[in-house]
Amino acid sequence: MLTTEEVLASHEAALGEQNPDKISTHYAKDAVVVVNGATYRGPKEIAHLYATLISDLPDAIWRTDVAVIHEDLAYVEWACESAAASVKFGTDTFVVTNGLITRQSASFSVILG
């Protein structure tokens, strides 16, 4: 079973590959993700969320600025930049259970241009 650190490292690698289906494999079947006030349930909805994010930020370069991990809980501050848009500051909180993300909340603003 993967540790929280290993799950997040794999999740970040899949995000860097711009592969929403691969990203969604890190989530439990009953996972819940709340992003900017919208709720996504299960890997299929979560893959759609990431497909939209990747579309908004094509070929983005992602940067993790802060990562604090305590057992099953992870807090991440991040930013990214693409030719089309950027995120100057984003934050995610993850709960990892049995090697899969079960809960996540995130807040960020995509800035065009």
Side-chain angles (χ1 to χ4, degrees):
M1 178 172 26
L2 296 176
T3 66
T4 300
E5 292 90 348
E6 292 167 332
V7 170
L8 291 182
S10 183
H11 173 79
E12 288 179 9
L15 186 58
E17 293 171 19
Q18 299 189 1
N19 187 332
D21 291 327
K22 188 172 181 182
I23 294 167
S24 72
T25 66
H26 298 102
Y27 290 84
K29 290 180 183 178
D30 62 347
V32 176
V33 176
V34 178
V35 177
N36 297 334
T39 302
Y40 304 86
R41 292 176 176 82
K44 186 175 179 179
E45 287 185 16
I46 293 167
H48 180 70
L49 160 68
Y50 279 101
T52 301
L53 182 62
I54 290 165
S55 174
D56 290 346
L57 295 156
D59 299 317
I61 298 172
W62 300 84
R63 182 184 80 233
T64 298
D65 295 324
V66 174
V68 179
I69 298 172
H70 180 73
E71 297 173 2
D72 66 342
L73 180 66
Y75 171 79
V76 179
E77 293 177 3
W78 56 274
C80 69
E81 185 114 12
S82 78
S86 64
V87 173
K88 300 298 181 197
F89 177 80
T91 182
D92 285 85
T93 301
F94 299 88
V95 176
V96 176
T97 306
N98 297 323
L100 293 171
I101 300 166
T102 56
R103 300 288 183 263
Q104 178 184 355
S105 65
S107 179
F108 58 87
S109 295
V110 175
I111 302 164
L112 299 176

